[in-house]
mmCIF file of all heavy atoms in Angstrom:
data_model
loop_
_atom_site.group_PDB
_atom_site.id
_atom_site.type_symbol
_atom_site.label_atom_id
_atom_site.label_comp_id
_atom_site.label_asym_id
_atom_site.label_seq_id
_atom_site.Cartn_x
_atom_site.Cartn_y
_atom_site.Cartn_z
ATOM 1 N N TYR S 111 3.497 3.531 -15.448
ATOM 2 C CA TYR S 111 2.753 4.583 -14.788
ATOM 3 C C TYR S 111 2.582 5.937 -15.574
ATOM 4 O O TYR S 111 1.854 6.787 -15.096
ATOM 5 C CB TYR S 111 3.480 4.843 -13.455
ATOM 6 C CG TYR S 111 3.522 3.734 -12.614
ATOM 7 C CD1 TYR S 111 4.675 2.880 -12.403
ATOM 8 C CD2 TYR S 111 2.385 3.242 -11.835
ATOM 9 C CE1 TYR S 111 4.706 1.723 -11.567
ATOM 10 C CE2 TYR S 111 2.351 2.108 -11.025
ATOM 11 C CZ TYR S 111 3.562 1.408 -10.883
ATOM 12 O OH TYR S 111 3.591 0.274 -10.091
ATOM 13 N N GLY S 112 3.246 5.975 -16.612
ATOM 14 C CA GLY S 112 3.078 7.228 -17.515
ATOM 15 C C GLY S 112 3.895 8.384 -17.060
ATOM 16 O O GLY S 112 4.483 8.414 -15.967
ATOM 17 N N PRO S 113 3.868 9.452 -17.917
ATOM 18 C CA PRO S 113 4.803 10.534 -17.705
ATOM 19 C C PRO S 113 4.325 11.531 -16.621
ATOM 20 O O PRO S 113 5.120 12.372 -16.161
ATOM 21 C CB PRO S 113 4.695 11.254 -19.078
ATOM 22 C CG PRO S 113 3.387 10.890 -19.692
ATOM 23 C CD PRO S 113 3.207 9.494 -19.203
ATOM 24 N N ASP S 114 3.123 11.319 -16.125
ATOM 25 C CA ASP S 114 2.678 12.188 -14.935
ATOM 26 C C ASP S 114 3.219 11.666 -13.686
ATOM 27 O O ASP S 114 3.374 12.451 -12.747
ATOM 28 C CB ASP S 114 1.150 12.171 -14.911
ATOM 29 C CG ASP S 114 0.521 12.941 -15.956
ATOM 30 O OD1 ASP S 114 1.133 13.827 -16.610
ATOM 31 O OD2 ASP S 114 -0.766 12.639 -16.219
ATOM 32 N N ARG S 115 3.651 10.398 -13.670
ATOM 33 C CA ARG S 115 4.195 9.885 -12.347
ATOM 34 C C ARG S 115 5.713 9.426 -12.479
ATOM 35 O O ARG S 115 6.320 9.131 -11.429
ATOM 36 C CB ARG S 115 3.355 8.655 -11.887
ATOM 37 C CG ARG S 115 1.960 9.097 -11.487
ATOM 38 C CD ARG S 115 1.150 7.944 -10.934
ATOM 39 N NE ARG S 115 1.743 7.481 -9.682
ATOM 40 C CZ ARG S 115 1.435 6.314 -9.100
ATOM 41 N NH1 ARG S 115 0.727 5.495 -9.749
ATOM 42 N NH2 ARG S 115 2.026 6.003 -8.022
ATOM 43 N N VAL S 116 6.194 9.466 -13.665
ATOM 44 C CA VAL S 116 7.603 9.218 -13.952
ATOM 45 C C VAL S 116 8.160 10.429 -14.726
ATOM 46 O O VAL S 116 7.977 10.381 -16.028
ATOM 47 C CB VAL S 116 7.953 7.844 -14.614
ATOM 48 C CG1 VAL S 116 9.483 7.662 -14.756
ATOM 49 C CG2 VAL S 116 7.344 6.744 -13.778
ATOM 50 N N VAL S 117 8.713 11.427 -14.171
ATOM 51 C CA VAL S 117 8.854 12.684 -14.688
ATOM 52 C C VAL S 117 10.265 12.962 -15.084
ATOM 53 O O VAL S 117 11.225 13.099 -14.174
ATOM 54 C CB VAL S 117 8.373 13.861 -13.799
ATOM 55 C CG1 VAL S 117 8.424 15.166 -14.499
ATOM 56 C CG2 VAL S 117 6.899 13.572 -13.363
ATOM 57 N N ASP S 118 10.631 12.998 -16.375
ATOM 58 C CA ASP S 118 11.929 13.433 -16.804
ATOM 59 C C ASP S 118 12.133 14.984 -16.577
ATOM 60 O O ASP S 118 11.205 15.730 -17.055
ATOM 61 C CB ASP S 118 12.121 13.145 -18.333
ATOM 62 C CG ASP S 118 12.570 11.674 -18.529
ATOM 63 O OD1 ASP S 118 13.344 11.143 -17.761
ATOM 64 O OD2 ASP S 118 12.173 11.114 -19.490
ATOM 65 N N THR S 119 13.138 15.337 -16.028
ATOM 66 C CA THR S 119 13.321 16.748 -15.728
ATOM 67 C C THR S 119 14.599 17.389 -16.570
ATOM 68 O O THR S 119 15.473 16.577 -16.918
ATOM 69 C CB THR S 119 13.703 16.985 -14.214
ATOM 70 O OG1 THR S 119 14.997 16.383 -13.912
ATOM 71 C CG2 THR S 119 12.624 16.264 -13.341
ATOM 72 N N PRO S 120 14.545 18.637 -16.662
ATOM 73 C CA PRO S 120 15.881 19.304 -17.194
ATOM 74 C C PRO S 120 16.974 19.097 -16.276
ATOM 75 O O PRO S 120 16.800 18.628 -15.104
ATOM 76 C CB PRO S 120 15.453 20.768 -17.318
ATOM 77 C CG PRO S 120 14.021 20.854 -17.199
ATOM 78 C CD PRO S 120 13.557 19.664 -16.291
ATOM 79 N N ILE S 121 18.178 19.430 -16.739
ATOM 80 C CA ILE S 121 19.355 19.275 -15.954
ATOM 81 C C ILE S 121 19.442 20.555 -15.036
ATOM 82 O O ILE S 121 20.231 21.568 -15.298
ATOM 83 C CB ILE S 121 20.663 19.144 -16.771
ATOM 84 C CG1 ILE S 121 20.471 17.976 -17.803
ATOM 85 C CG2 ILE S 121 21.867 18.946 -15.925
ATOM 86 C CD1 ILE S 121 21.697 17.835 -18.715
ATOM 87 N N THR S 122 18.634 20.510 -14.003
ATOM 88 C CA THR S 122 18.543 21.708 -13.057
ATOM 89 C C THR S 122 18.138 21.156 -11.711
ATOM 90 O O THR S 122 16.971 21.144 -11.253
ATOM 91 C CB THR S 122 17.588 22.718 -13.600
ATOM 92 O OG1 THR S 122 17.386 23.712 -12.553
ATOM 93 C CG2 THR S 122 16.270 22.101 -13.969
ATOM 94 N N GLU S 123 19.140 20.628 -11.001
ATOM 95 C CA GLU S 123 18.847 20.090 -9.640
ATOM 96 C C GLU S 123 18.155 20.953 -8.679
ATOM 97 O O GLU S 123 17.219 20.626 -7.977
ATOM 98 C CB GLU S 123 20.135 19.527 -9.006
ATOM 99 C CG GLU S 123 20.639 18.264 -9.582
ATOM 100 C CD GLU S 123 21.384 18.430 -10.915
ATOM 101 O OE1 GLU S 123 21.647 19.524 -11.248
ATOM 102 O OE2 GLU S 123 21.636 17.365 -11.602
ATOM 103 N N ALA S 124 18.537 22.298 -8.650
ATOM 104 C CA ALA S 124 17.905 23.235 -7.802
ATOM 105 C C ALA S 124 16.489 23.369 -8.176
ATOM 106 O O ALA S 124 15.583 23.487 -7.257
ATOM 107 C CB ALA S 124 18.586 24.539 -7.923
ATOM 108 N N GLY S 125 16.148 23.398 -9.461
ATOM 109 C CA GLY S 125 14.795 23.585 -9.881
ATOM 110 C C GLY S 125 13.883 22.365 -9.595
ATOM 111 O O GLY S 125 12.792 22.514 -8.929
ATOM 112 N N PHE S 126 14.262 21.200 -10.010
ATOM 113 C CA PHE S 126 13.353 20.036 -9.879
ATOM 114 C C PHE S 126 13.310 19.493 -8.401
ATOM 115 O O PHE S 126 12.264 19.012 -7.955
ATOM 116 C CB PHE S 126 13.581 18.885 -10.904
ATOM 117 C CG PHE S 126 14.887 18.253 -10.689
ATOM 118 C CD1 PHE S 126 15.141 17.299 -9.627
ATOM 119 C CD2 PHE S 126 15.910 18.243 -11.624
ATOM 120 C CE1 PHE S 126 16.308 16.538 -9.550
ATOM 121 C CE2 PHE S 126 17.133 17.516 -11.509
ATOM 122 C CZ PHE S 126 17.333 16.655 -10.491
#
Side-chain angles (χ1 to χ4, degrees):
Y111 298 104
D114 289 340
R115 296 185 63 199
V116 182
V117 184
D118 277 321
T119 67
I121 304 174
T122 168
E123 283 77 13
F126 68 73

